[in-house]
Amino acid sequence: MTQNYYQTHSQAFFDGTVAVDMSSLYAAFTPHLPAGARVLDAGCGSGRDALAFHRMGYDVDAFDASRELVALARAHSGLPVKEMTFHNVDAVERYDGIWCCASLLHLSHDELPDAMQKLSDALKPGGVWYLSFKYGEGEREQQGRRFTDMNEARLTALLAAFPELSAQALWVTQDKRPERREQWLNGLLVKR
């Protein structure tokens, strides 16, 4: 379902997200990265953030599940963006940082633990992981996409299954796109 949405609407999604200013979120994430850090942009969409991290001097890997978005992200970022899903992540302690901006929210609540375990395994000890979800509770479909919403209590409960991860910060922000009024739950996790 969500996959079909991005096949059909990939250019409109790209156009609506590629120029959004995410610098305030980068500012929460990048101080925890060493110079030249290896960063995974998991569910990279337009490639906006992968390109930003690449320009900051980080060694960036990126992937998305949508073939159409992968092509757009490759063209935009110049990076070798892979077409794959969270369930294909098989790296072990490879990344200093993982960036999941508005990507994990497309998994069902039941799919999240497996995907999060794979990402946790891919993160180096001491590594930092940014994630964001639309703020709320429950799961829904909206215009052909699946969303799993999170609030602090739901995310904290989900993280209880991952003793190696600690929530460094949880905070709520307004959508960065001027025409949107949604709130987002942001999390910064650190691997012990």
Side-chain angles (χ1 to χ4, degrees):
M1 167 185 52
T2 300
Q3 196 86 341
N4 291 340
Y5 174 91
Y6 287 112
Q7 284 174 353
T8 310
H9 300 91
S10 57
Q11 189 65 55
F13 178 81
F14 178 91
D15 294 344
T17 58
V18 72
V20 176
D21 179 6
M22 303 298 280
S23 54
S24 64
L25 296 175
Y26 302 154
F29 178 67
T30 57
H32 302 276
L33 297 173
R38 175 168 269 170
V39 174
L40 176 63
D41 187 350
C44 69
S46 67
R48 170 197 66 210
D49 303 332
L51 177 58
F53 296 136
H54 176 71
R55 286 178 171 162
M56 291 176 204
Y58 300 119
D59 180 7
V60 181
D61 289 341
F63 72 83
D64 201 275
S66 163
R67 175 175 290 133
E68 292 76 8
L69 280 175
V70 165
L72 291 167
R74 283 178 184 156
H76 176 66
S77 68
L79 297 169
V81 177
K82 291 181 183 167
E83 181 187 341
M84 60 185 250
T85 70
F86 294 108
H87 303 295
N88 302 124
V89 173
D90 60 3
V92 177
E93 295 184 1
R94 179 179 176 124
Y95 297 102
D96 301 291
I98 295 178
W99 181 262
C100 291
C101 183
S103 56
L104 285 166
L105 53 70
H106 291 308
L107 299 179
S108 72
H109 198 268
D110 291 342
E111 293 171 315
L112 279 169
D114 179 58
M116 290 182 68
Q117 187 62 65
K118 289 178 179 294
L119 291 165
S120 178
D121 292 345
L123 191 61
K124 291 179 182 176
V128 65
W129 179 1
Y130 168 82
L131 40 73
S132 63
F133 293 86
K134 291 186 183 204
Y135 194 85
E137 292 186 63
E139 299 180 57
R140 61 198 160 82
E141 289 179 28
Q142 184 178 334
Q143 299 171 336
R145 289 185 289 175
R146 165 198 291 283
F147 292 101
T148 297
D149 297 336
M150 286 284 163
N151 58 24
E152 295 88 345
R154 276 173 62 91
L155 185 56
T156 300
L158 185 63
L159 291 173
F162 302 96
E164 73 276 18
L165 298 174
S166 63
Q168 184 101 347
L170 297 177
W171 72 103
V172 178
T173 54
Q174 292 299 123
D175 199 297
K176 301 290 181 196
R177 296 165 292 183
E179 74 281 4
R180 298 290 186 94
R181 295 289 167 252
E182 294 155 315
Q183 289 191 308
W184 290 79
L185 178 66
N186 304 271
L188 202 61
L189 313 178
V190 174
K191 186 173 180 178
R192 294 189 183 94

